[in-house]
Amino acid sequence: MNTDEVLGIFREAGAVLEGHFILTSGLRSPVFLQKARVFMHADKTERLCKALAQKIRKAVPGRIDYVVGPAIGGLIPAYETSRHLGAPAIWVEREGGEFRLRRFEIAEGSRVVIVEDIVTTGLSIRETIDCLRELGAEVVAAACIIDRSAGKTDVGVPLIALAEYEVPAYPADRLPPELAAIPAVKPGSRNI
Ligand SMILES: O=P(O)(O)OC[C@H]1O[C@H](OP(=O)(O)OP(=O)(O)O)[C@H](O)[C@@H]1O
Ligand SMILES: O=C(O)c1cc(=O)[nH]c(=O)[nH]1
Ligand SMILES: [Mg+2]
């Protein structure tokens, strides 16, 4: 599946929003990919995640013990991708602001692949890697449906993106005037 097909699915689902958005990193952007509007459709989610699983299989030799989704955005794509990889899906969720594997135990040396929805700065993936490494897991790769950095983000492990789509994002104190003129909204779940 190529980038146009992935973006086509997002557009068809009404998931490409325009306005003034506060991203999880604190950056501001005129475009927000509201993945929830894609993941509400099982058929669209299946097509995307089946293709992502194929890409992961090609890139990751050897065993995958767990697919890990960072909540909330990563829950559905990690679950659906895990189905096509034949590995169980678990998740990290925030407790006191930090990602924790609250509901599961994994053996030391478990080989895990993180599956995210969207990557912008890679911050959420790096936080997930820190949590998993503290538990003794080996993070063999991270994957996402759309990489908004278009390959520029370094998360310290191979990042497998189904699509790359570069979208502008600005520090809050360096907004272009047309963005500053629109009230900002924060769609994500960090800090709520
Ligand atoms: O690469 P980054 O700069 O970390 O940005 C991407 C992250 O932002 C969103 O999560 P968010 O924390 O907004 O909450 P959500 O998972 O509930 O959507 C998205 O699900 C990714 O996890
Ligand atoms: O960077 C983010 O927080 C972010 C960007 C985006 O387009 N979609 C999303 O869910 N999160
Ligand atoms: Mg998220």
Side-chain angles (χ1 to χ4, degrees), residues 23-25 32 34-35 70-74 94 99 116-125 127 153 186-190:
L23 307 181
T24 200
S25 52
F32 191 81
Q34 183 46 280
K35 63 290 173 109
I72 293 175
R94 293 195 190 276
F99 274 138
E116 260 284 27
D117 48 356
I118 310 292
V119 165
T120 299
T121 63
L123 173 68
S124 306
I125 287 185
E127 291 171 334
T153 291
K186 184 177 177 299
S189 67
R190 186 192 289 261

Side-chain angles (χ1 to χ4, degrees), residues 67-109:
V67 175
V68 180
I72 293 175
L75 288 174
I76 293 174
Y79 177 80
E80 180 60 19
T81 304
S82 82
R83 204 160 70 83
H84 298 282
L85 287 172
I90 57 177
W91 61 87
V92 294
E93 60 197 295
R94 293 195 190 276
E95 188 177 61
E98 309 273 308
F99 274 138
R100 293 260 326 275
L101 194 69
R102 293 183 62 236
R103 301 168 201 247
F104 310 95
E105 284 179 7
I106 57 173
E108 254 187 63

